[in-house]
Coordinates of all heavy atoms in Angstrom, one line a residue:
M1 N -13.9 14.7 14.3 CA -12.7 15.0 13.5 C -11.5 14.1 14.0 O -11.5 13.7 15.2 CB -12.3 16.4 13.6 CG -13.3 17.3 12.9 SD -12.7 18.5 11.9 CE -14.0 19.6 12.3
V2 N -10.6 13.9 13.1 CA -9.4 13.1 13.4 C -8.2 13.8 12.9 O -8.4 14.7 12.0 CB -9.6 11.7 12.9 CG1 -9.6 11.7 11.4 CG2 -8.6 10.7 13.4
T3 N -7.1 13.5 13.4 CA -5.8 14.2 12.9 C -5.2 13.2 11.8 O -5.5 12.0 11.8 CB -4.8 14.5 14.0 OG1 -4.5 13.3 14.7 CG2 -5.3 15.5 14.9
L4 N -4.4 13.8 11.0 CA -3.9 13.0 9.8 C -3.0 11.8 10.3 O -3.0 10.8 9.6 CB -3.1 14.0 8.9 CG -2.7 13.5 7.6 CD1 -3.9 13.1 6.7 CD2 -1.9 14.5 6.9
D5 N -2.3 11.9 11.4 CA -1.5 10.8 11.8 C -2.3 9.6 12.3 O -1.8 8.5 12.2 CB -0.6 11.3 13.0 CG -1.3 11.8 14.2 OD1 -2.3 12.5 14.0 OD2 -0.9 11.4 15.3
K6 N -3.6 9.8 12.6 CA -4.5 8.7 13.0 C -5.2 8.1 11.8 O -6.0 7.2 12.0 CB -5.4 9.2 14.1 CG -4.8 9.8 15.3 CD -4.1 8.8 16.1 CE -3.7 9.5 17.4 NZ -2.3 9.5 17.6
L7 N -5.0 8.6 10.7 CA -5.8 8.2 9.5 C -5.5 6.7 9.1 O -4.4 6.2 9.2 CB -5.4 9.0 8.3 CG -6.2 8.9 7.0 CD1 -7.6 9.3 7.3 CD2 -5.6 9.9 6.0
I8 N -6.6 6.0 8.7 CA -6.5 4.7 8.2 C -5.9 4.6 6.8 O -6.1 5.5 6.0 CB -7.9 4.0 8.2 CG1 -8.5 4.0 9.5 CG2 -7.9 2.6 7.6 CD1 -10.0 3.7 9.5
L9 N -5.0 3.6 6.6 CA -4.4 3.5 5.3 C -5.4 3.3 4.2 O -6.4 2.6 4.3 CB -3.5 2.2 5.4 CG -2.4 2.1 4.3 CD1 -1.4 3.2 4.3 CD2 -1.7 0.8 4.4
N10 N -5.1 4.0 3.1 CA -5.9 4.0 1.8 C -7.3 4.5 2.0 O -8.3 4.1 1.3 CB -6.0 2.6 1.2 CG -4.6 2.1 0.8 OD1 -3.8 2.9 0.3 ND2 -4.3 0.9 1.1
K11 N -7.5 5.4 2.9 CA -8.8 6.1 3.2 C -8.7 7.5 2.8 O -7.9 8.3 3.3 CB -9.3 5.9 4.6 CG -10.6 6.4 4.9 CD -11.7 5.6 4.3 CE -13.0 6.1 4.7 NZ -14.1 5.3 4.1
R12 N -9.5 8.0 1.9 CA -9.5 9.4 1.4 C -10.3 10.3 2.4 O -11.4 10.0 2.8 CB -10.0 9.5 0.0 CG -9.9 10.9 -0.6 CD -10.3 10.9 -2.0 NE -9.4 10.1 -2.8 CZ -8.3 10.6 -3.4 NH1 -8.1 11.9 -3.4 NH2 -7.5 9.8 -4.1
V13 N -9.7 11.4 2.7 CA -10.3 12.4 3.7 C -10.1 13.8 3.1 O -9.4 14.0 2.2 CB -9.8 12.3 5.1 CG1 -10.1 11.0 5.7 CG2 -8.3 12.5 5.1
K14 N -10.8 14.8 3.7 CA -10.6 16.2 3.4 C -9.9 16.9 4.6 O -10.2 16.6 5.7 CB -12.0 16.8 3.2 CG -12.6 16.4 1.9 CD -13.6 17.5 1.4 CE -14.2 17.1 0.1 NZ -13.4 17.1 -1.0
V15 N -9.0 17.8 4.2 CA -8.3 18.6 5.2 C -9.3 19.6 5.7 O -10.0 20.3 4.9 CB -7.1 19.2 4.6 CG1 -6.4 20.2 5.6 CG2 -6.1 18.2 4.2
V16 N -9.4 19.8 7.0 CA -10.3 20.8 7.7 C -9.4 22.0 8.1 O -9.8 23.1 7.7 CB -11.0 20.2 8.9 CG1 -11.8 21.2 9.6 CG2 -11.9 19.0 8.4
T17 N -8.4 21.7 8.8 CA -7.5 22.9 9.3 C -6.1 22.4 9.6 O -5.9 21.2 9.9 CB -8.2 23.5 10.5 OG1 -7.5 24.7 10.8 CG2 -8.2 22.6 11.7
I18 N -5.2 23.3 9.6 CA -3.8 23.1 10.1 C -3.6 23.9 11.3 O -3.9 25.1 11.3 CB -2.8 23.4 9.0 CG1 -3.0 22.6 7.8 CG2 -1.4 23.2 9.6 CD1 -2.2 23.0 6.6
S19 N -3.2 23.3 12.4 CA -3.0 24.1 13.7 C -2.0 25.2 13.5 O -1.0 25.2 12.8 CB -2.4 23.1 14.7 OG -2.0 23.8 15.8
D20 N -2.4 26.3 14.1 CA -1.5 27.5 14.1 C -0.2 27.3 14.8 O 0.7 28.0 14.6 CB -2.3 28.7 14.7 CG -3.4 29.2 13.8 OD1 -3.3 29.0 12.6 OD2 -4.3 29.8 14.3
N21 N -0.2 26.3 15.7 CA 1.1 26.0 16.4 C 2.0 25.1 15.6 O 3.1 24.9 16.0 CB 0.7 25.2 17.7 CG -0.1 26.1 18.6 OD1 0.0 27.3 18.6 ND2 -1.0 25.5 19.4
S22 N 1.6 24.7 14.4 CA 2.5 23.8 13.6 C 3.7 24.6 13.1 O 3.6 25.7 12.6 CB 1.7 23.4 12.3 OG 2.6 22.7 11.5
L23 N 4.9 24.0 13.3 CA 6.1 24.6 12.9 C 6.3 24.7 11.4 O 7.1 25.5 10.9 CB 7.3 23.9 13.5 CG 7.3 23.9 15.1 CD1 8.5 23.0 15.6 CD2 7.5 25.3 15.6
I24 N 5.6 23.8 10.7 CA 5.7 23.8 9.2 C 4.4 24.2 8.5 O 4.3 23.8 7.3 CB 6.3 22.5 8.7 CG1 5.3 21.3 9.0 CG2 7.6 22.2 9.3 CD1 5.6 20.1 8.2
K25 N 3.6 24.9 9.1 CA 2.3 25.3 8.5 C 2.5 25.9 7.2 O 1.8 25.6 6.2 CB 1.5 26.2 9.4 CG 0.1 26.6 8.9 CD -0.7 27.4 9.8 CE -2.1 27.7 9.2 NZ -2.9 28.4 10.1
R26 N 3.4 26.9 7.0 CA 3.6 27.6 5.8 C 4.0 26.6 4.7 O 3.6 26.7 3.6 CB 4.6 28.7 6.0 CG 5.0 29.5 4.8 CD 3.9 30.5 4.5 NE 3.1 30.1 3.3 CZ 1.9 30.6 3.1 NH1 1.3 31.4 3.9 NH2 1.3 30.2 2.0
R27 N 4.9 25.7 5.0 CA 5.4 24.7 4.0 C 4.3 23.8 3.6 O 4.1 23.5 2.4 CB 6.5 23.9 4.6 CG 7.1 22.9 3.6 CD 8.4 22.4 4.1 NE 9.3 23.5 4.3 CZ 10.6 23.5 3.9 NH1 11.0 22.4 3.2 NH2 11.4 24.5 4.1
L28 N 3.4 23.3 4.5 CA 2.3 22.5 4.2 C 1.3 23.2 3.2 O 0.9 22.6 2.3 CB 1.5 22.0 5.4 CG 2.3 21.1 6.4 CD1 1.6 20.9 7.7 CD2 2.6 19.8 5.7
L29 N 1.1 24.5 3.5 CA 0.2 25.2 2.6 C 0.8 25.4 1.2 O 0.1 25.3 0.2 CB -0.1 26.6 3.2 CG -0.9 26.6 4.5 CD1 -0.9 28.0 5.2 CD2 -2.3 26.1 4.3
D30 N 2.1 25.6 1.2 CA 2.8 25.8 -0.1 C 2.8 24.6 -1.0 O 2.8 24.7 -2.2 CB 4.3 26.2 0.2 CG 4.4 27.6 0.7 OD1 3.5 28.4 0.6 OD2 5.5 28.0 1.2
I31 N 2.8 23.4 -0.4 CA 2.8 22.2 -1.2 C 1.4 21.7 -1.5 O 1.2 20.6 -2.1 CB 3.6 21.0 -0.5 CG1 3.0 20.6 0.8 CG2 5.1 21.4 -0.4 CD1 3.7 19.4 1.5
G32 N 0.4 22.4 -1.1 CA -1.0 22.1 -1.5 C -1.9 21.5 -0.4 O -3.0 21.1 -0.7
I33 N -1.4 21.4 0.8 CA -2.2 20.8 1.9 C -3.0 22.0 2.5 O -2.5 22.7 3.4 CB -1.4 20.1 2.9 CG1 -0.7 18.9 2.2 CG2 -2.2 19.6 4.0 CD1 0.3 18.1 3.1
I34 N -4.1 22.3 1.9 CA -5.0 23.4 2.3 C -6.4 22.9 2.7 O -6.7 21.8 2.3 CB -5.1 24.5 1.2 CG1 -5.6 23.8 -0.1 CG2 -3.7 25.1 0.9 CD1 -5.9 24.8 -1.2
P35 N -7.1 23.6 3.5 CA -8.5 23.2 3.9 C -9.3 22.9 2.6 O -9.3 23.7 1.6 CB -9.0 24.4 4.7 CG -7.8 25.0 5.3 CD -6.7 24.8 4.2
G36 N -10.0 21.8 2.6 CA -10.9 21.4 1.5 C -10.2 20.4 0.6 O -10.9 19.8 -0.2
I37 N -8.9 20.2 0.6 CA -8.2 19.4 -0.4 C -8.3 17.9 0.1 O -8.3 17.6 1.3 CB -6.8 19.8 -0.5 CG1 -6.1 19.2 -1.8 CG2 -5.9 19.4 0.6 CD1 -6.6 20.0 -3.0
D38 N -8.4 17.0 -0.8 CA -8.4 15.5 -0.5 C -7.0 15.1 -0.3 O -6.1 15.5 -0.9 CB -9.0 14.7 -1.7 CG -10.5 14.9 -1.8 OD1 -11.2 15.3 -0.8 OD2 -11.0 14.7 -2.9
I39 N -6.9 14.2 0.7 CA -5.6 13.6 1.1 C -5.8 12.1 1.5 O -6.9 11.8 2.0 CB -4.9 14.4 2.2 CG1 -3.4 14.0 2.3 CG2 -5.7 14.4 3.5 CD1 -2.6 14.9 3.2
E40 N -4.8 11.3 1.1 CA -5.0 9.9 1.4 C -3.6 9.3 1.9 O -2.6 9.6 1.3 CB -5.4 9.2 0.1 CG -5.6 7.7 0.2 CD -6.0 7.0 -1.1 OE1 -6.3 7.8 -2.0 OE2 -5.9 5.8 -1.2
K41 N -3.6 8.6 3.0 CA -2.4 7.9 3.5 C -2.2 6.7 2.6 O -3.1 5.8 2.6 CB -2.6 7.5 4.9 CG -1.3 6.9 5.5 CD -1.5 6.4 7.0 CE -1.4 7.5 7.9 NZ -1.4 7.0 9.3
I42 N -1.1 6.6 1.9 CA -0.9 5.5 1.0 C 0.2 4.5 1.4 O 0.3 3.4 0.8 CB -0.7 6.0 -0.4 CG1 0.6 6.9 -0.5 CG2 -1.9 6.7 -0.9 CD1 1.0 7.2 -1.9
M43 N 1.1 4.9 2.3 CA 2.3 4.1 2.7 C 2.7 4.4 4.1 O 2.8 5.5 4.5 CB 3.4 4.3 1.7 CG 4.5 3.3 1.7 SD 5.8 3.6 0.5 CE 4.8 3.9 -1.0
L44 N 3.1 3.3 4.8 CA 3.7 3.5 6.1 C 5.1 3.2 6.1 O 5.6 2.3 5.3 CB 3.0 2.5 7.1 CG 1.5 2.5 7.3 CD1 1.0 1.4 8.1 CD2 1.1 3.8 7.9
S45 N 5.9 3.9 6.9 CA 7.3 3.6 6.9 C 7.6 2.4 7.8 O 7.0 2.2 8.8 CB 8.0 4.9 7.6 OG 9.4 4.5 7.9
P46 N 8.6 1.6 7.4 CA 8.9 0.4 8.3 C 9.5 0.8 9.6 O 9.5 0.0 10.5 CB 9.8 -0.4 7.4 CG 10.4 0.6 6.5 CD 9.4 1.6 6.2
F47 N 10.0 2.0 9.7 CA 10.7 2.5 10.9 C 9.8 3.4 11.8 O 10.2 3.9 12.8 CB 11.9 3.2 10.6 CG 12.9 2.4 9.8 CD1 13.1 2.6 8.5 CD2 13.5 1.3 10.4 CE1 14.0 1.9 7.7 CE2 14.4 0.5 9.6 CZ 14.6 0.8 8.3
K48 N 8.5 3.5 11.4 CA 7.6 4.4 12.1 C 8.0 5.8 12.1 O 9.1 6.2 11.8 CB 7.4 3.9 13.6 CG 7.1 2.4 13.7 CD 5.6 2.2 13.3 CE 5.4 0.7 13.6 NZ 4.3 0.2 12.9
G49 N 7.0 6.7 12.4 CA 7.3 8.1 12.5 C 7.1 8.9 11.3 O 7.2 10.1 11.3
I50 N 6.9 8.3 10.1 CA 6.7 9.0 8.9 C 5.8 8.2 8.0 O 5.9 6.9 8.0 CB 8.1 9.3 8.2 CG1 7.9 10.4 7.1 CG2 8.7 8.1 7.7 CD1 9.2 11.0 6.7
C51 N 5.0 8.9 7.2 CA 4.1 8.2 6.3 C 4.0 9.0 5.0 O 4.3 10.1 4.9 CB 2.6 8.1 6.8 SG 2.5 7.1 8.3
A52 N 3.6 8.3 3.9 CA 3.5 8.9 2.6 C 2.0 9.2 2.3 O 1.1 8.3 2.6 CB 4.0 8.0 1.5
Y53 N 1.7 10.3 1.8 CA 0.3 10.8 1.5 C 0.2 11.2 0.1 O 1.1 11.7 -0.5 CB -0.1 11.9 2.4 CG 0.0 11.6 3.9 CD1 1.1 11.8 4.6 CD2 -1.2 11.1 4.5 CE1 1.2 11.5 6.0 CE2 -1.1 10.8 5.9 CZ 0.0 11.0 6.6 OH 0.1 10.6 7.9
L54 N -1.0 10.9 -0.5 CA -1.3 11.3 -1.9 C -2.1 12.6 -1.8 O -3.2 12.7 -1.2 CB -2.1 10.2 -2.6 CG -2.4 10.5 -4.0 CD1 -1.2 10.6 -4.9 CD2 -3.3 9.4 -4.6
V55 N -1.5 13.7 -2.4 CA -2.1 15.0 -2.4 C -2.0 15.5 -3.8 O -0.9 15.7 -4.3 CB -1.4 16.0 -1.4 CG1 -2.0 17.3 -1.5 CG2 -1.3 15.4 0.0
M56 N -3.2 15.7 -4.5 CA -3.2 16.3 -5.8 C -2.2 15.5 -6.8 O -1.4 16.1 -7.4 CB -2.9 17.8 -5.8 CG -3.9 18.6 -5.1 SD -3.7 20.4 -5.2 CE -2.0 20.6 -4.9
D57 N -2.3 14.2 -6.8 CA -1.5 13.4 -7.7 C 0.0 13.4 -7.4 O 0.8 13.1 -8.2 CB -1.7 13.7 -9.2 CG -3.1 13.5 -9.6 OD1 -3.7 12.5 -9.1 OD2 -3.6 14.2 -10.5
S58 N 0.4 13.9 -6.2 CA 1.8 13.9 -5.8 C 1.9 13.1 -4.5 O 1.0 13.2 -3.6 CB 2.3 15.3 -5.5 OG 2.3 16.1 -6.7
I59 N 3.0 12.4 -4.3 CA 3.2 11.7 -3.0 C 4.1 12.5 -2.2 O 5.2 13.0 -2.6 CB 3.8 10.3 -3.3 CG1 2.9 9.5 -4.2 CG2 4.2 9.6 -2.0 CD1 3.4 8.2 -4.6
I60 N 3.7 12.8 -0.9 CA 4.4 13.6 0.0 C 4.6 12.9 1.3 O 3.7 12.3 1.8 CB 3.6 14.9 0.3 CG1 3.4 15.7 -1.0 CG2 4.3 15.8 1.3 CD1 2.4 16.8 -1.0
A61 N 5.8 12.9 1.8 CA 6.1 12.2 3.1 C 6.0 13.3 4.2 O 6.5 14.4 4.1 CB 7.5 11.7 3.1
I62 N 5.3 12.9 5.3 CA 5.1 13.8 6.4 C 5.3 13.1 7.7 O 4.8 12.0 7.9 CB 3.6 14.4 6.4 CG1 3.3 15.1 5.1 CG2 3.4 15.3 7.6 CD1 1.9 15.6 5.0
R63 N 6.1 13.7 8.6 CA 6.3 13.1 9.9 C 5.1 13.0 10.7 O 4.2 13.9 10.6 CB 7.4 13.9 10.6 CG 8.8 13.8 10.0 CD 9.7 14.6 10.8 NE 9.3 16.0 10.6 CZ 10.1 17.0 10.6 NH1 11.4 16.8 10.9 NH2 9.7 18.2 10.4
D64 N 4.9 12.0 11.5 CA 3.7 11.9 12.3 C 3.5 13.1 13.3 O 2.4 13.5 13.5 CB 3.8 10.6 13.2 CG 3.5 9.4 12.3 OD1 3.0 9.5 11.2 OD2 3.9 8.3 12.8
D65 N 4.6 13.6 13.8 CA 4.5 14.8 14.6 C 3.9 16.0 13.9 O 3.1 16.7 14.5 CB 5.9 15.3 15.1 CG 6.5 14.3 16.1 OD1 5.8 13.4 16.7 OD2 7.7 14.3 16.3
D66 N 4.2 16.2 12.6 CA 3.6 17.2 11.9 C 2.2 16.9 11.4 O 1.3 17.8 11.3 CB 4.5 17.6 10.6 CG 5.8 18.1 11.1 OD1 5.9 18.9 12.0 OD2 6.8 17.7 10.4
A67 N 2.0 15.6 11.1 CA 0.6 15.2 10.7 C -0.4 15.3 11.8 O -1.6 15.5 11.5 CB 0.7 13.7 10.2
S68 N 0.1 15.3 13.0 CA -0.9 15.4 14.2 C -1.4 16.9 14.3 O -2.4 17.1 15.0 CB -0.2 15.0 15.5 OG 0.8 16.0 15.8
D69 N -0.8 17.8 13.5 CA -1.3 19.2 13.5 C -2.3 19.4 12.4 O -2.9 20.5 12.3 CB -0.1 20.2 13.3 CG 0.8 20.2 14.5 OD1 0.3 19.9 15.6 OD2 2.0 20.5 14.3
I70 N -2.7 18.4 11.6 CA -3.6 18.6 10.5 C -4.9 17.8 10.8 O -4.9 16.6 11.0 CB -3.0 18.0 9.2 CG1 -1.6 18.7 8.9 CG2 -4.0 18.1 8.1 CD1 -0.9 18.0 7.8
E71 N -6.0 18.6 11.0 CA -7.3 17.9 11.2 C -8.0 17.6 9.9 O -8.0 18.5 9.0 CB -8.2 18.9 12.1 CG -7.7 19.0 13.5 CD -8.7 19.8 14.3 OE1 -9.7 20.2 13.8 OE2 -8.4 20.0 15.5
V72 N -8.5 16.4 9.8 CA -9.2 16.0 8.6 C -10.6 15.4 9.0 O -10.8 15.1 10.2 CB -8.4 14.9 7.9 CG1 -7.1 15.5 7.4 CG2 -8.1 13.7 8.8
C73 N -11.5 15.2 8.0 CA -12.7 14.6 8.2 C -13.0 13.7 7.1 O -12.6 13.9 6.0 CB -13.9 15.6 8.4 SG -14.2 16.6 6.9
Y74 N -13.7 12.6 7.4 CA -14.1 11.6 6.3 C -15.2 12.2 5.5 O -16.0 13.0 5.9 CB -14.6 10.3 7.0 CG -13.4 9.6 7.7 CD1 -13.2 9.8 9.0 CD2 -12.6 8.8 7.0 CE1 -12.2 9.1 9.7 CE2 -11.6 8.1 7.6 CZ -11.4 8.3 9.0 OH -10.3 7.7 9.6
D75 N -15.2 11.9 4.2 CA -16.2 12.4 3.2 C -17.6 12.1 3.6 O -18.1 11.2 4.0 CB -15.9 11.9 1.8 CG -14.7 12.7 1.3 OD1 -14.4 13.8 1.7 OD2 -14.1 12.1 0.3

Protein backbone atom coordinates (compact mmCIF):
# COMPACT_ATOMS: atom_id res chain seq x y z
CA MET A 1 0.00 0.00 0.00
CA VAL A 2 0.96 3.57 -0.56
CA THR A 3 -0.33 6.88 0.78
CA LEU A 4 -2.03 9.42 -1.45
CA ASP A 5 0.78 11.98 -1.15
CA LYS A 6 3.22 9.48 -2.76
CA LEU A 7 0.90 8.78 -5.71
CA ILE A 8 2.23 9.06 -9.25
CA LEU A 9 0.66 11.79 -11.41
CA ASN A 10 -2.25 10.61 -13.61
CA LYS A 11 -2.42 7.16 -12.02
CA ARG A 12 -5.86 5.98 -10.85
CA VAL A 13 -6.03 4.18 -7.49
CA LYS A 14 -8.63 3.05 -4.96
CA VAL A 15 -8.90 4.47 -1.46
CA VAL A 16 -8.34 1.78 1.17
CA THR A 17 -8.57 3.68 4.44
CA ILE A 18 -8.27 7.09 6.07
CA SER A 19 -6.22 7.24 9.27
CA ASP A 20 -8.21 7.75 12.45
CA ASN A 21 -5.57 10.31 13.46
CA SER A 22 -6.44 12.55 10.50
CA LEU A 23 -7.62 15.98 11.60
CA ILE A 24 -9.93 16.28 8.58
CA LYS A 25 -11.21 12.70 8.31
CA ARG A 26 -14.85 13.75 8.61
CA ARG A 27 -14.45 16.40 5.90
CA LEU A 28 -12.74 13.92 3.53
CA LEU A 29 -15.59 11.46 4.03
CA ASP A 30 -18.15 14.22 3.43
CA ILE A 31 -16.64 15.18 0.06
CA GLY A 32 -16.67 11.59 -1.15
CA ILE A 33 -13.22 10.26 -0.31
CA ILE A 34 -14.38 6.96 1.13
CA PRO A 35 -12.90 3.44 1.03
CA GLY A 36 -13.37 1.84 -2.39
CA ILE A 37 -13.67 5.10 -4.37
CA ASP A 38 -11.35 5.81 -7.32
CA ILE A 39 -9.02 8.81 -7.00
CA GLU A 40 -6.39 10.23 -9.34
CA LYS A 41 -3.67 12.87 -8.80
CA ILE A 42 -4.08 15.24 -11.73
CA MET A 43 -2.09 18.37 -10.87
CA LEU A 44 0.89 19.41 -8.77
CA SER A 45 1.20 22.81 -7.16
CA PRO A 46 4.22 24.86 -8.29
CA PHE A 47 4.84 25.75 -4.63
CA LYS A 48 4.71 22.16 -3.31
CA GLY A 49 2.64 20.98 -0.40
CA ILE A 50 -0.71 20.71 -2.20
CA CYS A 51 -2.06 18.68 -5.13
CA ALA A 52 -5.30 18.42 -7.09
CA TYR A 53 -7.15 15.09 -7.23
CA LEU A 54 -10.02 13.88 -9.37
CA VAL A 55 -12.75 12.29 -7.24
CA MET A 56 -16.13 11.40 -8.76
CA ASP A 57 -15.82 13.97 -11.59
CA SER A 58 -14.83 16.72 -9.13
CA ILE A 59 -11.40 18.26 -8.65
CA ILE A 60 -10.35 18.56 -5.02
CA ALA A 61 -7.19 20.15 -3.61
CA ILE A 62 -5.64 18.31 -0.68
CA ARG A 63 -2.55 19.27 1.32
CA ASP A 64 0.23 16.68 1.30
CA ASP A 65 0.06 16.48 5.12
CA ASP A 66 -3.57 15.39 4.89
CA ALA A 67 -2.99 13.16 1.84
CA SER A 68 -0.42 11.21 3.84
CA ASP A 69 -3.30 9.98 6.06
CA ILE A 70 -5.08 8.34 3.11
CA GLU A 71 -3.94 4.84 2.15
CA VAL A 72 -4.56 3.75 -1.45
CA CYS A 73 -3.81 0.74 -3.62
CA TYR A 74 -3.29 0.36 -7.35
CA ASP A 75 -6.08 -1.42 -9.27
